[in-house]
Amino acid sequence: MILQILLLVAAVGALVYFVRSGQSVGVRASKRIAFGAFIVLNIYAVLRPDDLTYLARAVGIGRGTDLLVYLLVVAFVFGMLNTYLRDREISQHLTNLARQIAVRDAELTRRENDLEQRLTALEQQAVHPSTGAVALPAAAPSTAPEGQ
């Protein structure tokens, strides 16, 4: 009886955590429904273990425990597949972001090179043709006292 209460509390706790966690916002409705059904079936199996044995025998499995293990294996494989697909999607997204950053950096580098070339060309045009001296704009008079 105490173990049943602990299992029920754990199932309800998992359901509450799943529904209330900030990460569940992005979870599709079908996954929410499947998880909710899974929790309800777990609660039913804890409260009525003889029904699980009856169902197992009806589908050709000897014990309810064996049926539960088979269902858990299927749920585990589904979870692993879901995690793999989500990881692959995130990896593809990161690859696309890295490409966008590389293209943006290459464009910025090209613009910097263009500006440097223009600056060099302007500096070369500013050299006085007869003396080779650079024609700089007149400096503003200094307001600082001499000696400093």
Side-chain angles (χ1 to χ4, degrees), residues 12-94:
V12 171
L15 182 61
V16 168
Y17 176 77
F18 181 76
V19 170
R20 295 185 57 110
S21 73
Q23 297 172 357
S24 68
V25 173
V27 178
R28 294 188 177 154
S30 60
K31 291 179 185 176
R32 289 182 183 182
I33 291 170
F35 186 75
F38 181 73
I39 293 296
V40 168
L41 288 175
N42 279 316
I43 291 171
Y44 184 78
V46 168
L47 294 175
R48 310 257 328 192
D50 291 336
D51 290 351
L52 189 61
T53 301
Y54 174 78
L55 179 63
R57 287 187 180 149
V59 296
I61 299 173
R63 300 180 307 166
T65 305
D66 294 338
L67 176 62
L68 184 61
V69 169
Y70 298 153
L71 292 175
L72 287 174
V73 167
V74 171
F76 176 76
V77 169
F78 172 76
M80 292 302 296
L81 179 63
N82 187 41
T83 300
Y84 168 74
L85 293 174
R86 186 175 60 226
D87 184 50
R88 195 172 75 178
E89 181 182 336
I90 289 171
S91 179
Q92 183 65 39
H93 185 68
L94 287 174

